[in-house]
Amino acid sequence: MNLLTATPDSVRQTPTVLIRGTGLLGTSIGLGLRADGHQVLLSDPSATAQAIAADIGAGIILEQAPEGSDPEIVIVAAPPEATAAEVAAALIRFPDAVVLDIASTKSEILSLLLHRTQDEASALTRADLGRYVGTHPMAGREKSGPVAARGELFTSMPWVICPAVDPVTGDQLSAPEAVKWAGEVGRRLGATVHQMDPARHDESVALISHLPQIAASLVASRLQDAPVSALALAGNGLRDVTRIAASDPGLWVQILSSNARPVVEILYGLRADMERLISTLEAPRAPGGQADIAQLIAEGNSGVTRVPGKHGAPPQSFTVLTVIVDDKPGQIAAVLNDVATVGVNVEDLRMEHSAGHQVGMVELSVLPGRRDELAEAMTEFGWKVVLS
């Protein structure tokens, strides 16, 4: 079946999907699409990785698939540095298939593919690019590899569709039906589909993904020689800021190298802010110094209010109620059970252990109008409650 003439709008179809790359994301896509009724084929340069993915139910190894199981959609889930070559190979090998990639940057991949169409020795044509759509599922885990895969990994997460465009004319090169199927894959995995051009995508992820990674890594690097006595005082603030610093260096070398220009533009602005702060803190009580510090923190207050809230909705202010619990099994479940009895919805939950004491603190974010009601009820249930 040629999916460019058979649209997902006309009838629900379950095209055969080949996933090239059986790491965390590729295997998770396989699990999700198989649960949706698709036949999924698997391929990976690592025989071990593809065997594990097949064993946990993500699909059938390509070489073991029944005759006539040619893929109608190919999803390239390769490392960023290999993605363009894998996409080109898939476009050539499967001339009727829609080919997607899920790399975290898009402009460099498109540029490499366009270069292939301009190279007389290359087999790629602009017609081939009509079957290509770049995508970026913005989901992941702290673990990697097929054993960490989950079919629900993409539920409610952004799935960005980046149709190929001509960098000179701005004309869309990806066929409309290929773009529709790219979005349909995301929807069938439970994701929230967004569409933007490759350059805008790369600028966006430089700010909301790549900059936080850099900041976390730079802050965490300061801890390498920190005294143990200082680290013993660490609380959730340090843990929150440095959590993603445990990411794979090899992967981030590829990501930052392929999206260097948008990242550098943001770092120029950050450098100006840092130089401004350093200059102020060198003489913090000089005229205007206190106001400048306050202004810098206030600018952060303003920025954080723009981060989307629950389910991607507009930001909303919640109030925090802290419940003190003993450090023993069953306490968290008991707290949540009592909250459910009151009938108050928990918008967010955080935990922190108290240094030097066998107790923990459960921070419950709730709508402002329900905080006092919940605090009173939890106190009656025997919990020690602290209002922020």
Side-chain angles (χ1 to χ4, degrees):
M1 181 190 304
N2 188 325
L3 295 185
L4 298 188
T5 59
T7 75
D9 297 332
S10 59
V11 62
R12 178 173 177 81
Q13 302 155 350
T14 51
T16 298
V17 178
L18 167 63
I19 298 173
R20 174 63 172 166
T22 52
L24 169 65
L25 295 183
T27 304
S28 295
I29 291 172
L31 290 169
L33 291 180
R34 283 205 73 191
D36 193 63
H38 292 263
Q39 175 176 255
V40 176
L41 311 176
L42 305 172
S43 176
D44 194 289
S46 168
T48 300
Q50 71 177 11
I52 293 172
D55 285 346
I56 65 176
I60 305 169
I61 295 174
L62 178 62
E63 289 75 12
Q64 300 174 3
E67 187 176 348
S69 300
D70 289 341
E72 296 152 291
I73 296 176
V74 178
I75 300 177
V76 174
E81 64 184 5
T83 296
E86 290 287 350
V87 168
L91 287 169
I92 294 168
R93 181 177 177 183
F94 304 106
D96 292 325
V98 170
V99 178
L100 317 177
D101 79 81
I102 61 168
S104 54
T105 60
K106 304 271 65 107
S107 296
E108 185 177 68
I109 294 168
L110 177 59
S111 178
L112 291 170
L113 292 172
L114 285 169
H115 181 74
R116 285 174 178 265
T117 67
Q118 297 160 4
D119 183 350
E120 293 182 0
S122 171
L124 273 190
T125 67
R126 288 174 72 89
D128 289 324
L129 291 185
R131 296 184 287 114
Y132 164 68
V133 184
T135 77
H136 181 196
M138 301 193 67
R141 299 186 67 195
E142 70 283 1
K143 301 176 182 178
S144 61
V147 293
R150 299 289 183 271
E152 304 79 19
L153 185 66
F154 309 99
T155 302
S156 299
M157 303 302 289
W159 185 286
V160 188
I161 307 301
C162 298
V165 295
D166 187 309
V168 177
T169 65
D171 294 337
Q172 181 171 302
L173 301 176
S174 300
E177 301 309 327
V179 176
K180 288 181 181 179
W181 276 105
E184 185 67 11
V185 168
R187 280 185 284 271
R188 293 186 184 188
L189 290 168
T192 302
V193 177
H194 305 258
Q195 183 170 325
M196 58 181 63
D197 67 62
R200 177 60 60 86
H201 165 273
D202 288 356
E203 293 168 358
S204 299
V205 296
L207 178 63
I208 59 90
S209 176
H210 304 169
L211 177 64
Q213 175 64 50
I214 292 168
S217 295
L218 292 178
V219 171
S221 73
R222 299 295 90 203
L223 306 178
Q224 295 178 92
D225 301 316
V228 174
S229 57
L231 296 176
L233 305 178
N236 274 0
L238 183 65
R239 295 187 186 97
D240 287 347
V241 170
T242 60
R243 179 181 60 83
I244 59 175
S247 299
D248 177 13
L251 175 62
W252 277 98
V253 165
Q254 297 181 50
I255 292 173
L256 293 178
S257 297
S258 67
N259 204 32
R261 177 46 52 188
V263 171
V264 165
E265 292 297 332
I266 295 169
L267 291 179
Y268 287 151
L270 185 63
R271 180 174 65 185
D273 286 342
M274 291 296 295
E275 290 175 346
R276 165 186 156 198
L277 178 60
I278 290 170
S279 178
T280 298
L281 291 180
E282 286 174 340
R285 290 182 174 80
Q290 305 286 290
D292 197 43
I293 295 170
Q295 177 63 28
L296 187 67
I297 300 301
E299 289 170 2
N301 296 160
S302 176
V304 78
T305 63
R306 301 198 63 209
V307 178
K310 188 176 179 183
H311 305 313
Q316 182 173 16
S317 296
F318 301 119
T319 54
V320 176
L321 174 150
T322 302
V323 180
I324 309 300
V325 299
D326 294 330
D327 190 9
K328 62 182 184 181
Q331 290 284 282
I332 308 303
V335 167
L336 295 178
N337 183 67
D338 286 346
V339 171
T341 299
V342 181
V344 174
N345 190 50
V346 175
E347 307 295 339
D348 198 3
L349 181 149
R350 288 163 48 94
M351 285 189 57
E352 184 170 2
H353 290 284
S354 178
H357 298 279
Q358 294 301 308
V359 297
M361 292 166 282
V362 181
E363 295 182 354
L364 305 174
S365 296
V366 299
L367 291 173
R370 306 299 302 274
R371 187 193 68 166
D372 292 344
E373 171 194 354
L374 180 60
E376 181 179 350
M378 295 298 283
T379 300
E380 291 178 358
F381 285 138
W383 298 104
K384 184 175 180 179
V385 175
V386 179
L387 298 179
S388 300

